[in-house]
Amino acid sequence: MAPLKRVRRVIDDGDSDGEDAENAAPSVREATAKRKRARISQPGASSHLRTTRARRDDDSDRQPDEMGEGNSGGDEMDYERRRDAGFEDLEDEDLDTQRATQIIRKRNEKTMENLPAENGIIESVTCINFMCHNKFHISLGPLINFIIGFNGSGKSAILTAITLCLGGKANSTNRGGSLKAFVKEGRESATLIVKLKNGGYGYQQEIYGDSIIVERHFTKTGSSGFKLKSATGRVISTKKADLEEICDYFALQIDNPMNVLTQDMSRQFLNNSTPADKYRFFVKGVQLEQLDQDYQLLEETIDLIESRLKIRDDDIHVLENRAKKAMAKLEMSDKHDKLRERIRNYMRQMAWSQVEQEENKLATFDVELQEAISSIEEAERKAGTVDQVFDEANQAHERGAESLREVGESISPIQEKKRQAKERFDSNKGELMQLHLEQRTIRDHLKNADKRIENYKADITIENQRLEDANDGNHVRRVAEIERAKREVIDVRHEYDQHSSRTACIEEDVRAAEQELSRASYPIEAKRAEIKACESVIDSLLRDRGQHLSAFHPNMPKLLQAIRSERRFREKPVGPVGNHIKLLKPVWSSILERSFGATLTSFIVTSKSDQDILAQLMKKESCSCPILIGNNQPINTSNSEPDPQYDTSLRVLEIDNDIVRRQLIINQAIEQTLLIENRHEAQRAMYGGSRPRNVKQCFCFNENRKGWGIRFGFRGSDESSAPMQPMDAKPRMKTDVETQINYQREILRDLQRELNDLERHSGELRNRLRARKQALQTHQKQHKDLHVKIQRAEETAERLQDELERDTVQDGRLQALEGLLREAEEDKSIIEGSYEEAVTQKDKLNAVAKELSKELKAVDSELAEIEAKIRKKEAKALELSQARQVALLEKNSAFQKIDDAKLERTRAESKREAQSKRVREFIEQARKVSERVPIDPGETPGSLDKKLEKLTNDLNRFNREIGGSPEQIAQEAQEAAEAYRMAKEQLEQLDEMGQMLKFALIERQNRWRKFRKFISARARAQFTYLLSERSFRGALKTDHRRHTLDLQVEPDETRSGKGRQTKTLSGGEKSFSTICLLLSLWEAMGSPIRCLDEFDVFMDNVNRDINAARRSVGRQFVLITPNSLGNINMAEDVRIIKLNDPKEKGQTTLSFASQGGS
């Protein structure tokens, strides 16, 4: 349902004619809106109407005087005579003008405040990259708006923007032929935004709110689009039809040349327009011309209908005769009923014989289903037996494990006993070793005691001799030499201590250098191994180029041939898996090969029986590979994959088998494994924020080690990472061999470069170790030299001291030496006693050691016996475990057979259900033929088909003789009768519609003449009234016969009694009078928005009064002028907007608060 039209203010003066004139313009607009959606449905009418419309458009551009002379043809002149009806409605133009004048005077005598309209006016206009504006916004007042500025400041662009944004055509602006011409130079697109007021009873106010924002975007390529937004900025629609509906609702006539007068149109209208031009503006502006064209199309449509009525009347007789002939032919086809009955009988038997055939197949499927059920029962019985065997084997295994555990527990005390005996034995052995050391020490003490005794005896002899030879020689000199020798000893020892303190540091440096060299040797060996492996891979790729199976087991071709030759498989195994995968990005080959592991060499089967057969073939061909059990059900990963911006294992693989794809998704999660080359980007994707959706792990490259990778994942809620070594074997997935070889060569070059770096670093470490060892040797030699120097200094000091003592007479020295000799002999006696005690203690410990050794051997023997029992128990437990494993395999096999049997039963049930459904369908189809009938003995569908074919051929031969089958003849008769009936009804309906259109056309033409009469009278009266505002006199001469509209104006200072032509007026008087005409026509149109560009180019300040515009209550005016407005009487209903000089950017709004305006 279309929204209601906006309510207009009507001044009620009790005159019905005035009301008709006031409401005429909305009726015109409503008719125009309906015309836009009108369609002509009669065949052939559309092209005829288009031709007529084009002719009318051409005629509208002709001069009125030409049109009055009748050059458009006799038909058009007849139409105009019928339309005008002799211009009887215009005979009392003076009376009509007098009535309109009275209405206007009464309305103006009432004091009415010029209040803004609640809706349908423009609040603001925004231009972006449009014409001369980069970004321009202007807010309009609700009533009278003056836009002033220098030439080139973009004033006229505002009207152009309003026209284009509200759906107007580019050529209607006279500023450009297409939208792309309005895009600012150097820009690719432009945007226009017009904000419409939508208060009061606005358009769909519950949706749009108090404002409707219309936005139009267009580009230099010619594309264009609309957006209709609510007051909050929410997009409501993007359809131009909705914009047209809004414009119709608010009565915005954007394409009407009188409503938005552009600069060229206003200049032409104000200054250069002839009476014919003014008349043409008048009839276009008030929609009289548009309605006239619509009514002419309507009359042409009526003529077309009447011509077709004549043709249809002849067709009715043809259809009537055709129906009679068809009914006569139907009566002739009532023969051969017996033949048709036999055909129908055979058709019934044919239908039910096919049912019996399908029922026999269903019985066969019932037998197969029963056999499958018996197989399940037999498999379940065997499964129960093997389940019992497994339980027994499992219990025996548990008993063996328990026995092994008990024996294992018994060994613990023996081991503890051995440990204690060993501790006692070791303790005794330690005491023996300590005692042995003590004996060796005692022997050393004895030797020292004997030596001291001998030395004391020799000293006593020397002392006796010295006493005899003593004298008092150079004592003081010798004492000084001794002091010097002692100081030298102290200095040398200090130097020795300092040198010794540096020894540990130098030795530590040597050890550190040795450790660094040792640590550097391992990476070199590892890198050489990597290089060797990489060279091996390259050699393998070069050697086996084009032989993809060479990456697998050597016997793989034999195994594949055996699989192809084997006929026992339910479904052929798929494999090896790597042979069905093509890697689209070879750089990920090593990481994905390492990740997939043995899966790439595996085979996939769909049942346990196929697994057993494949295992036998592998054993026979000596080619062992993993075997996986899967199924053929597809997996949809569309909702479980990560962000499309990332590569995943699934996205870089091309898999040619669905079962392989399913297995990799289940086992390897390839759809949720990200592949990101850069490690930092991979860490950011995995751990940079919340846990990524549908991601289990991520692989990336290790930039520090060529060919290595890193796996990032999650362990519970924690982050985890692990290195991934490169593969040292030939790739098992299909890929581009040349790319793979180049990639491996690149890796080899990087590895060789890294090896050279490692060897260079190792050489530097070796040189450093050599230098440190040389420094240590030098330090050690210096250490020895210092030690020798200390010894020599000490010997010199001791020698000088001894010489001094020998030469010095000391009282009591002999007695002291004799006392020391006695002490030494006593010490020797004590040491000898200690030695004897040590020998005795050693003998006791040896005896204890023998006992402990016997005890330890006994414990070892007992422990060996227990260990032998454990080994036997372990062997037994292993045997029981193997037996349990065999029983478990047999049990699994038995239950797998149950599953296979159940699967077979499911298949049988599925087949039976399908056949049962087929039987039901056959029965349903047969019942469409007839109820069940018995089949003649010996008859089959084939025999019945032959009989049916013979009888049908006989019947067809008869049908050809009469021109068709009975059904066809009956259908033709029915169709002929129906065609006759429908044609007759359509003829009646068409005749009724033609009469209705005639009455409608007459009524509309009457209303059109009435509207022309009232709208002309109103324009004349309004023009006279507006002239009187400036004390002018004049008249508006409207000649509808000659299609002219002229002005007669008499200024105040010339009271000649007759009006003057506009050519004799001054420029300001001429412009003022033409503006009065324009305001009069605007009032006749009733549009809420009125725009005029350069309205006062030729006006003087005296004629620039705006009180006439204020008489149009609630209407919004947008008036553009390059002149100043200093003399205009400002008020609250006036807003002046001044645009900046073209050299500046933007615009400003002047504030006239002090003058009473805003």
Side-chain angles (χ1 to χ4, degrees), residues 874-904:
E874 287 176 345
K876 183 65 176 176
L878 179 60
E879 181 181 351
L880 293 174
S881 177
Q882 292 175 347
R884 177 184 178 278
Q885 185 66 23
V886 172
L888 178 61
L889 292 175
E890 292 178 353
K891 176 182 177 181
N892 292 337
S893 177
F895 280 98
Q896 181 64 38
K897 289 179 180 178
I898 293 175
D899 294 338
D900 294 342
K902 288 181 178 179
L903 181 61
E904 191 64 32

mmCIF file of all heavy atoms in Angstrom, residues 874-904:
data_model
loop_
_atom_site.group_PDB
_atom_site.id
_atom_site.type_symbol
_atom_site.label_atom_id
_atom_site.label_comp_id
_atom_site.label_asym_id
_atom_site.label_seq_id
_atom_site.Cartn_x
_atom_site.Cartn_y
_atom_site.Cartn_z
ATOM 1 N N GLU A 874 59.106 -64.908 33.690
ATOM 2 C CA GLU A 874 58.940 -63.937 32.605
ATOM 3 C C GLU A 874 58.701 -64.632 31.276
ATOM 4 O O GLU A 874 57.882 -64.196 30.471
ATOM 5 C CB GLU A 874 60.178 -63.044 32.512
ATOM 6 C CG GLU A 874 60.297 -62.033 33.643
ATOM 7 C CD GLU A 874 61.565 -61.240 33.561
ATOM 8 O OE1 GLU A 874 62.480 -61.655 32.815
ATOM 9 O OE2 GLU A 874 61.673 -60.205 34.256
ATOM 10 N N ALA A 875 59.456 -65.738 31.044
ATOM 11 C CA ALA A 875 59.238 -66.497 29.808
ATOM 12 C C ALA A 875 57.824 -67.059 29.758
ATOM 13 O O ALA A 875 57.147 -67.011 28.725
ATOM 14 C CB ALA A 875 60.271 -67.621 29.694
ATOM 15 N N LYS A 876 57.376 -67.553 30.914
ATOM 16 C CA LYS A 876 56.017 -68.084 30.975
ATOM 17 C C LYS A 876 54.989 -66.970 30.766
ATOM 18 O O LYS A 876 53.999 -67.150 30.030
ATOM 19 C CB LYS A 876 55.807 -68.745 32.347
ATOM 20 C CG LYS A 876 54.438 -69.400 32.497
ATOM 21 C CD LYS A 876 54.263 -70.563 31.542
ATOM 22 C CE LYS A 876 52.919 -71.279 31.771
ATOM 23 N NZ LYS A 876 52.701 -72.366 30.781
ATOM 24 N N ALA A 877 55.249 -65.831 31.414
ATOM 25 C CA ALA A 877 54.320 -64.707 31.261
ATOM 26 C C ALA A 877 54.291 -64.228 29.808
ATOM 27 O O ALA A 877 53.227 -63.877 29.282
ATOM 28 C CB ALA A 877 54.726 -63.557 32.181
ATOM 29 N N LEU A 878 55.455 -64.200 29.143
ATOM 30 C CA LEU A 878 55.499 -63.810 27.742
ATOM 31 C C LEU A 878 54.704 -64.783 26.890
ATOM 32 O O LEU A 878 53.964 -64.398 25.982
ATOM 33 C CB LEU A 878 56.952 -63.736 27.267
ATOM 34 C CG LEU A 878 57.176 -63.368 25.804
ATOM 35 C CD1 LEU A 878 56.581 -61.989 25.520
ATOM 36 C CD2 LEU A 878 58.646 -63.397 25.454
ATOM 37 N N GLU A 879 54.874 -66.092 27.212
ATOM 38 C CA GLU A 879 54.126 -67.098 26.466
ATOM 39 C C GLU A 879 52.624 -66.910 26.659
ATOM 40 O O GLU A 879 51.843 -66.966 25.698
ATOM 41 C CB GLU A 879 54.559 -68.483 26.941
ATOM 42 C CG GLU A 879 53.856 -69.633 26.206
ATOM 43 C CD GLU A 879 54.303 -70.988 26.730
ATOM 44 O OE1 GLU A 879 55.255 -71.031 27.529
ATOM 45 O OE2 GLU A 879 53.695 -71.999 26.336
ATOM 46 N N LEU A 880 52.214 -66.657 27.919
ATOM 47 C CA LEU A 880 50.793 -66.438 28.195
ATOM 48 C C LEU A 880 50.299 -65.153 27.530
ATOM 49 O O LEU A 880 49.164 -65.078 27.055
ATOM 50 C CB LEU A 880 50.560 -66.378 29.711
ATOM 51 C CG LEU A 880 50.791 -67.681 30.467
ATOM 52 C CD1 LEU A 880 50.670 -67.445 31.966
ATOM 53 C CD2 LEU A 880 49.790 -68.754 30.028
ATOM 54 N N SER A 881 51.154 -64.123 27.509
ATOM 55 C CA SER A 881 50.763 -62.871 26.860
ATOM 56 C C SER A 881 50.562 -63.073 25.375
ATOM 57 O O SER A 881 49.612 -62.544 24.780
ATOM 58 C CB SER A 881 51.834 -61.814 27.109
ATOM 59 O OG SER A 881 51.523 -60.624 26.435
ATOM 60 N N GLN A 882 51.483 -63.848 24.766
ATOM 61 C CA GLN A 882 51.321 -64.117 23.337
ATOM 62 C C GLN A 882 50.055 -64.919 23.076
ATOM 63 O O GLN A 882 49.328 -64.669 22.110
ATOM 64 C CB GLN A 882 52.550 -64.859 22.811
ATOM 65 C CG GLN A 882 53.818 -63.998 22.807
ATOM 66 C CD GLN A 882 55.048 -64.776 22.403
ATOM 67 O OE1 GLN A 882 55.012 -66.012 22.348
ATOM 68 N NE2 GLN A 882 56.134 -64.080 22.127
ATOM 69 N N ALA A 883 49.791 -65.890 23.976
ATOM 70 C CA ALA A 883 48.564 -66.664 23.818
ATOM 71 C C ALA A 883 47.338 -65.765 23.980
ATOM 72 O O ALA A 883 46.338 -65.895 23.254
ATOM 73 C CB ALA A 883 48.531 -67.795 24.853
ATOM 74 N N ARG A 884 47.419 -64.826 24.944
ATOM 75 C CA ARG A 884 46.298 -63.883 25.132
ATOM 76 C C ARG A 884 46.135 -63.001 23.901
ATOM 77 O O ARG A 884 45.015 -62.714 23.465
ATOM 78 C CB ARG A 884 46.562 -63.018 26.355
ATOM 79 C CG ARG A 884 45.520 -61.955 26.606
ATOM 80 C CD ARG A 884 45.930 -61.096 27.782
ATOM 81 N NE ARG A 884 44.963 -60.023 28.012
ATOM 82 C CZ ARG A 884 44.937 -58.890 27.359
ATOM 83 N NH1 ARG A 884 45.847 -58.655 26.404
ATOM 84 N NH2 ARG A 884 44.017 -57.963 27.625
ATOM 85 N N GLN A 885 47.271 -62.560 23.303
ATOM 86 C CA GLN A 885 47.198 -61.714 22.119
ATOM 87 C C GLN A 885 46.563 -62.459 20.956
ATOM 88 O O GLN A 885 45.733 -61.905 20.214
ATOM 89 C CB GLN A 885 48.601 -61.232 21.738
ATOM 90 C CG GLN A 885 48.631 -60.245 20.601
ATOM 91 C CD GLN A 885 47.977 -58.934 20.956
ATOM 92 O OE1 GLN A 885 47.868 -58.596 22.136
ATOM 93 N NE2 GLN A 885 47.493 -58.209 19.955
ATOM 94 N N VAL A 886 46.952 -63.761 20.804
ATOM 95 C CA VAL A 886 46.353 -64.574 19.737
ATOM 96 C C VAL A 886 44.856 -64.721 19.972
ATOM 97 O O VAL A 886 44.039 -64.579 19.053
ATOM 98 C CB VAL A 886 47.048 -65.949 19.676
ATOM 99 C CG1 VAL A 886 46.309 -66.878 18.714
ATOM 100 C CG2 VAL A 886 48.494 -65.791 19.224
ATOM 101 N N ALA A 887 44.491 -64.979 21.241
ATOM 102 C CA ALA A 887 43.068 -65.119 21.556
ATOM 103 C C ALA A 887 42.329 -63.812 21.323
ATOM 104 O O ALA A 887 41.182 -63.799 20.854
ATOM 105 C CB ALA A 887 42.900 -65.577 23.015
ATOM 106 N N LEU A 888 43.007 -62.700 21.657
ATOM 107 C CA LEU A 888 42.388 -61.403 21.438
ATOM 108 C C LEU A 888 42.178 -61.138 19.947
ATOM 109 O O LEU A 888 41.126 -60.637 19.528
ATOM 110 C CB LEU A 888 43.258 -60.297 22.047
ATOM 111 C CG LEU A 888 42.763 -58.861 21.853
ATOM 112 C CD1 LEU A 888 41.401 -58.701 22.512
ATOM 113 C CD2 LEU A 888 43.750 -57.877 22.431
ATOM 114 N N LEU A 889 43.184 -61.476 19.115
ATOM 115 C CA LEU A 889 43.037 -61.307 17.674
ATOM 116 C C LEU A 889 41.901 -62.174 17.141
ATOM 117 O O LEU A 889 41.105 -61.737 16.297
ATOM 118 C CB LEU A 889 44.350 -61.655 16.969
ATOM 119 C CG LEU A 889 45.529 -60.695 17.220
ATOM 120 C CD1 LEU A 889 46.790 -61.225 16.568
ATOM 121 C CD2 LEU A 889 45.206 -59.305 16.676
ATOM 122 N N GLU A 890 41.826 -63.430 17.647
ATOM 123 C CA GLU A 890 40.730 -64.299 17.212
ATOM 124 C C GLU A 890 39.383 -63.747 17.657
ATOM 125 O O GLU A 890 38.395 -63.795 16.916
ATOM 126 C CB GLU A 890 40.936 -65.715 17.760
ATOM 127 C CG GLU A 890 42.144 -66.433 17.146
ATOM 128 C CD GLU A 890 42.334 -67.820 17.746
ATOM 129 O OE1 GLU A 890 41.614 -68.139 18.708
ATOM 130 O OE2 GLU A 890 43.199 -68.566 17.245
ATOM 131 N N LYS A 891 39.362 -63.199 18.876
ATOM 132 C CA LYS A 891 38.111 -62.602 19.359
ATOM 133 C C LYS A 891 37.724 -61.392 18.504
ATOM 134 O O LYS A 891 36.571 -61.260 18.097
ATOM 135 C CB LYS A 891 38.282 -62.175 20.817
ATOM 136 C CG LYS A 891 37.078 -61.468 21.396
ATOM 137 C CD LYS A 891 37.329 -61.026 22.825
ATOM 138 C CE LYS A 891 36.129 -60.238 23.366
ATOM 139 N NZ LYS A 891 36.358 -59.785 24.759
ATOM 140 N N ASN A 892 38.729 -60.505 18.254
ATOM 141 C CA ASN A 892 38.432 -59.358 17.406
ATOM 142 C C ASN A 892 37.990 -59.782 16.016
ATOM 143 O O ASN A 892 37.088 -59.184 15.419
ATOM 144 C CB ASN A 892 39.655 -58.445 17.299
ATOM 145 C CG ASN A 892 39.980 -57.775 18.618
ATOM 146 O OD1 ASN A 892 39.113 -57.628 19.476
ATOM 147 N ND2 ASN A 892 41.227 -57.380 18.798
ATOM 148 N N SER A 893 38.642 -60.832 15.506
ATOM 149 C CA SER A 893 38.256 -61.329 14.183
ATOM 150 C C SER A 893 36.827 -61.850 14.206
ATOM 151 O O SER A 893 36.051 -61.614 13.274
ATOM 152 C CB SER A 893 39.237 -62.418 13.747
ATOM 153 O OG SER A 893 38.843 -62.969 12.510
ATOM 154 N N ALA A 894 36.485 -62.571 15.306
ATOM 155 C CA ALA A 894 35.127 -63.108 15.401
ATOM 156 C C ALA A 894 34.098 -61.986 15.469
ATOM 157 O O ALA A 894 33.053 -62.018 14.791
ATOM 158 C CB ALA A 894 35.016 -64.004 16.631
ATOM 159 N N PHE A 895 34.405 -60.977 16.277
ATOM 160 C CA PHE A 895 33.455 -59.862 16.368
ATOM 161 C C PHE A 895 33.436 -59.052 15.076
ATOM 162 O O PHE A 895 32.397 -58.479 14.711
ATOM 163 C CB PHE A 895 33.817 -58.967 17.554
ATOM 164 C CG PHE A 895 33.345 -59.516 18.875
ATOM 165 C CD1 PHE A 895 34.198 -60.221 19.710
ATOM 166 C CD2 PHE A 895 32.025 -59.342 19.258
ATOM 167 C CE1 PHE A 895 33.755 -60.725 20.917
ATOM 168 C CE2 PHE A 895 31.577 -59.839 20.472
ATOM 169 C CZ PHE A 895 32.437 -60.541 21.312
ATOM 170 N N GLN A 896 34.594 -59.005 14.377
ATOM 171 C CA GLN A 896 34.600 -58.341 13.076
ATOM 172 C C GLN A 896 33.727 -59.102 12.088
ATOM 173 O O GLN A 896 33.021 -58.495 11.268
ATOM 174 C CB GLN A 896 36.036 -58.243 12.547
ATOM 175 C CG GLN A 896 36.154 -57.540 11.208
ATOM 176 C CD GLN A 896 35.727 -56.091 11.274
ATOM 177 O OE1 GLN A 896 36.001 -55.410 12.252
ATOM 178 N NE2 GLN A 896 35.019 -55.620 10.257
ATOM 179 N N LYS A 897 33.758 -60.439 12.204
ATOM 180 C CA LYS A 897 32.884 -61.234 11.336
ATOM 181 C C LYS A 897 31.423 -60.971 11.663
ATOM 182 O O LYS A 897 30.567 -60.951 10.766
ATOM 183 C CB LYS A 897 33.212 -62.711 11.486
ATOM 184 C CG LYS A 897 34.557 -63.098 10.877
ATOM 185 C CD LYS A 897 34.842 -64.579 11.073
ATOM 186 C CE LYS A 897 36.206 -64.953 10.445
ATOM 187 N NZ LYS A 897 36.527 -66.371 10.672
ATOM 188 N N ILE A 898 31.146 -60.774 12.963
ATOM 189 C CA ILE A 898 29.769 -60.416 13.334
ATOM 190 C C ILE A 898 29.393 -59.090 12.680
ATOM 191 O O ILE A 898 28.299 -58.945 12.116
ATOM 192 C CB ILE A 898 29.620 -60.332 14.867
ATOM 193 C CG1 ILE A 898 29.788 -61.730 15.482
ATOM 194 C CG2 ILE A 898 28.262 -59.750 15.252
ATOM 195 C CD1 ILE A 898 29.774 -61.728 16.998
ATOM 196 N N ASP A 899 30.325 -58.119 12.784
ATOM 197 C CA ASP A 899 30.048 -56.824 12.162
ATOM 198 C C ASP A 899 29.875 -56.967 10.658
ATOM 199 O O ASP A 899 28.982 -56.325 10.072
ATOM 200 C CB ASP A 899 31.177 -55.838 12.476
ATOM 201 C CG ASP A 899 31.254 -55.502 13.963
ATOM 202 O OD1 ASP A 899 30.238 -55.684 14.650
ATOM 203 O OD2 ASP A 899 32.340 -55.078 14.417
ATOM 204 N N ASP A 900 30.742 -57.793 10.042
ATOM 205 C CA ASP A 900 30.602 -57.995 8.598
ATOM 206 C C ASP A 900 29.272 -58.646 8.267
ATOM 207 O O ASP A 900 28.602 -58.268 7.292
ATOM 208 C CB ASP A 900 31.753 -58.864 8.083
ATOM 209 C CG ASP A 900 33.102 -58.169 8.208
ATOM 210 O OD1 ASP A 900 33.104 -56.921 8.358
ATOM 211 O OD2 ASP A 900 34.145 -58.847 8.165
ATOM 212 N N ALA A 901 28.887 -59.618 9.095
ATOM 213 C CA ALA A 901 27.605 -60.277 8.854
ATOM 214 C C ALA A 901 26.448 -59.302 9.049
ATOM 215 O O ALA A 901 25.466 -59.312 8.292
ATOM 216 C CB ALA A 901 27.447 -61.479 9.786
ATOM 217 N N LYS A 902 26.571 -58.445 10.087
ATOM 218 C CA LYS A 902 25.515 -57.445 10.306
ATOM 219 C C LYS A 902 25.481 -56.441 9.145
ATOM 220 O O LYS A 902 24.403 -56.010 8.730
ATOM 221 C CB LYS A 902 25.746 -56.708 11.615
ATOM 222 C CG LYS A 902 25.469 -57.574 12.843
ATOM 223 C CD LYS A 902 25.694 -56.773 14.119
ATOM 224 C CE LYS A 902 25.364 -57.612 15.353
ATOM 225 N NZ LYS A 902 25.596 -56.867 16.608
ATOM 226 N N LEU A 903 26.686 -56.111 8.646
ATOM 227 C CA LEU A 903 26.729 -55.223 7.488
ATOM 228 C C LEU A 903 26.077 -55.883 6.283
ATOM 229 O O LEU A 903 25.336 -55.238 5.529
ATOM 230 C CB LEU A 903 28.185 -54.861 7.175
ATOM 231 C CG LEU A 903 28.414 -53.911 5.998
ATOM 232 C CD1 LEU A 903 27.723 -52.566 6.259
ATOM 233 C CD2 LEU A 903 29.907 -53.686 5.756
ATOM 234 N N GLU A 904 26.341 -57.189 6.139
ATOM 235 C CA GLU A 904 25.722 -57.924 5.046
ATOM 236 C C GLU A 904 24.207 -57.969 5.228
ATOM 237 O O GLU A 904 23.437 -57.838 4.273
ATOM 238 C CB GLU A 904 26.305 -59.345 4.992
ATOM 239 C CG GLU A 904 25.939 -60.118 3.743
ATOM 240 C CD GLU A 904 26.508 -59.479 2.481
ATOM 241 O OE1 GLU A 904 27.605 -58.881 2.551
ATOM 242 O OE2 GLU A 904 25.842 -59.578 1.434
#
